[in-house]
Amino acid sequence: MTVFRGYIKVIKSNRLMICFYLAIFFAFSILFQTTAKSADTEMYQMRGVRIGVINNDDGALAEALVRYLSGIHQVTELDDEISVLQEKLYYRAADYIVRIPEDFYEKCISEGKELEVTMIPGSYTGIYVDQQINSFLNNAAVYQKAGFTEEETADAMKNRENVRVELADDKSAAGDNKDYIYYFRYMPYLYLAVFGFVLGDILWSFQKKELNRRMMASPVPIRRQKLEGMLCMILFGIGIWAFLILGAAVCYGKSWAGSGNAGYYILNTLALLFCTLSVAFLAGTISPNRDALTGIINILSLGMCFLGGTFVSLDVMSGSIKKISQFLPVYWYEKANDILTDFSMMTETARNQVLQAVGIQIVFGVAFFCLAVTAARYKQTEW
C-alpha cells in the first residue's frame, strides 16, 4: 500500500487548508441562517411612518381617525403653521402630514371630499398611508349610508377588528424555512474547494515526470497503483461527506433527520460528491503546476457556485442565465435542493424531478471522469 500511504501523506500536509475551508463553510451556514431568521420575522410586519396631524375638528370621527393612525404609525399633532410644517418635512421629522378640516364628517364622509395631505415627493410611504386613510374613509362612508350617526360611526370604526390572514401552503411545505437549507446550499463550494485543492495537489504531485517514471519502473503493477490512489481519493471524499452529514444530524437533529426528506438530501449530496471528485480528478490531471491548479480550482468553484445557484438563489436569476447554468452540475444540485425545500411531503412529480436532477449530476460526473482519464493517458504518451 505504498501509493495509498503516499496519498495519505499529501492529504495530511493539506490538513490546515481542509480545516480552513470547513470553518468557512460552517461560519457561512450559521451566518446566513441567522440573517434569514431575522429577515423572516420582520419581512411582513407592519411598519410605522412618522405622521403629522392637524386636527381642526372636535368631532368623534376625527378622533377615531387619529386613534386609528396612532395604532399603526408614529402620530404627532401639529399646529397649522406653514413654517412649522415646512420644517418638519425638511428635517424629516414627519414623512406625511394630514389636515383634518372642520366639519370632517359632513365634508369627507357625507360629501366625499378628499383630505388635504402633504408628503415627501416620490415617497412610497405616502402611498402606503394614503391607502390606509382611504380604507378608513370608505368604511366610514358605508356606515354613514347605512344610517349611522357620526358617534355611532366612530364607535363602529373603533371596534372594528383587523383582518387576519393565514398563508395557505400549496406545496405541502412545513410553513417556514428550515435552518438546514443554508447548510446544504453552500455544500458545493466546500466540495469543489477542498477536493479540488487537496486531490488536485495529490494528482499533480504524483504526475511529475521523475516520480512517475520511478513508479512505472517499480515492481508494483500500474493497475494496483491506480487502484490504491482511487481508493484513497474515494475514502477521503466519503470521510468529508460523512463528517458533513453527521454535522447536519448533530446541528439540526430531528428537524432534518425527521423531515421525511433526509434520504433525498443524502442522495443529492452523494451525487454531488461523485461529480466534484471527478472535477478534482480532471483539474489535477490537466494542471501543469501548483499555481495553475490554484487558478483552475478558483475559477471552477466560484464560477459554478455563482452561476449554479449556491451564492445567488436560482429564483432571482434571469432566464438566460439559467439556460447557461443548466450545463453546470451545481445547478442541478441546487435545483434538487430547492425542490426538497418546497416540499416537506414529496409528491410523485417532485420526487421524479429530484431523481432526475441527481441522475444528471451523475452523468456530469461520468463525463468529467472520462475527460480526466483521456487527459491522463495523453500525458503518459508524452513521457
Side-chain angles (χ1 to χ4, degrees):
M1 302 291 285
T2 305
V3 176
F4 184 87
R5 289 194 297 269
Y7 274 54
I8 293 295
K9 186 175 181 180
V10 178
I11 291 175
K12 286 183 177 179
S13 67
N14 289 280
R15 60 184 178 273
L16 291 178
M17 185 184 64
I18 296 172
C19 294
F20 174 73
Y21 277 103
L22 284 172
I24 289 178
F25 170 73
F26 283 107
F28 267 81
S29 299
I30 295 172
L31 173 64
F32 281 103
Q33 76 184 34
T34 304
T35 305
K37 267 188 175 181
S38 61
D40 288 342
T41 57
E42 298 176 0
M43 187 174 295
Y44 299 109
Q45 290 182 355
M46 192 175 291
R47 297 286 183 170
V49 178
R50 293 183 295 271
I51 297 179
V53 175
I54 304 169
N55 190 0
N56 295 320
D57 185 81
D58 296 328
L61 191 61
E63 180 186 350
L65 175 58
V66 174
R67 182 178 299 180
Y68 167 73
L69 294 175
S70 300
I72 304 172
H73 306 287
Q74 305 168 23
V75 174
T76 304
E77 294 201 25
L78 304 176
D79 295 329
D80 193 2
E81 297 181 10
I82 297 297
S83 59
V84 174
L85 302 182
Q86 290 176 340
E87 181 179 354
K88 293 289 184 182
L89 287 174
Y90 182 80
Y91 291 106
R92 298 299 189 266
D95 300 317
Y96 188 97
I97 295 175
V98 56
R99 179 180 281 102
I100 301 176
E102 291 185 60
D103 301 325
F104 168 63
Y105 183 76
E106 288 76 13
K107 291 181 180 178
C108 296
I109 305 302
S110 301
E111 299 176 11
K113 293 182 180 180
E114 295 184 355
L115 284 174
E116 183 180 344
V117 299
T118 307
M119 68 183 79
I120 298 173
S123 172
Y124 70 91
T125 56
I127 300 174
Y128 175 53
V129 180
D130 278 343
Q131 291 175 342
Q132 292 169 339
I133 292 178
N134 289 335
S135 175
F136 180 93
L137 297 178
N138 291 336
N139 286 317
V142 171
Y143 287 116
Q144 187 268 339
K145 290 179 180 179
F148 282 57
T149 64
E150 179 178 358
E151 288 73 16
E152 291 172 340
T153 301
D155 290 337
M157 295 300 295
K158 291 177 184 177
N159 296 327
R160 288 179 69 247
E161 293 185 1
N162 293 328
V163 176
R164 297 180 63 184
V165 178
E166 294 183 3
L167 296 179
D169 189 356
D170 61 349
K171 293 184 177 180
S172 301
D176 57 342
N177 287 338
K178 300 298 183 181
D179 294 342
Y180 55 77
I181 292 172
Y182 302 95
Y183 185 89
F184 287 96
R185 174 177 291 177
Y186 298 107
M187 203 171 283
Y189 179 69
L190 175 67
Y191 275 6
L192 288 167
V194 170
F195 296 149
F197 284 117
V198 176
L199 300 185
D201 189 33
I202 293 173
L203 291 170
W204 177 80
S205 300
F206 276 81
Q207 287 180 7
K208 294 178 181 179
K209 287 186 178 181
E210 296 79 6
L211 180 59
N212 192 271
R213 287 172 179 173
R214 290 173 60 184
M215 291 176 64
M216 292 179 66
S218 70
V220 180
I222 298 297
R223 177 172 296 181
R224 180 174 175 179
Q225 294 179 20
K226 293 187 178 298
L227 288 175
E228 289 183 14
M230 291 180 64
L231 176 63
C232 182
M233 293 172 64
I234 292 172
L235 290 178
F236 173 67
I238 292 177
I240 295 292
W241 171 83
F243 177 78
L244 294 175
I245 295 298
L246 180 62
V250 171
C251 293
Y252 306 107
K254 291 184 179 180
S255 174
W256 172 69
S259 64
N261 289 339
Y264 293 104
Y265 277 107
I266 290 174
L267 183 62
N268 196 31
T269 53
L270 278 174
L272 179 69
L273 172 67
F274 171 66
C275 190
T276 50
L277 285 174
S278 300
V279 171
F281 184 24
L282 176 62
T285 302
I286 64 177
S287 299
N289 52 59
R290 187 172 276 106
D291 292 336
L293 173 66
T294 301
I296 291 172
I297 294 302
N298 281 329
I299 292 172
L300 288 175
S301 60
L302 294 175
M304 284 189 181
C305 290
F306 270 111
L307 294 176
T310 300
F311 297 144
V312 181
S313 177
L314 294 175
D315 295 335
V316 300
M317 288 187 178
S318 63
S320 56
I321 297 296
K322 286 184 180 180
K323 289 181 180 179
I324 298 173
S325 301
Q326 290 178 8
F327 295 95
L328 301 173
V330 175
Y331 168 87
W332 297 100
Y333 170 83
E334 296 295 352
K335 183 177 181 180
N337 237 12
D338 290 344
I339 295 172
L340 295 175
T341 299
D342 291 337
F343 291 86
S344 60
M345 298 291 293
M346 294 293 287
T347 63
E348 184 177 355
T349 302
R351 185 183 299 107
N352 291 337
Q353 290 178 344
V354 170
L355 295 178
Q356 180 189 38
V358 169
I360 292 174
Q361 291 178 71
I362 294 174
V363 171
F364 271 109
V366 172
F368 286 128
F369 180 78
C370 292
L371 288 174
V373 170
T374 303
R377 289 182 177 177
Y378 177 77
K379 273 194 170 183
Q380 284 184 349
T381 59
E382 290 183 339
W383 293 331

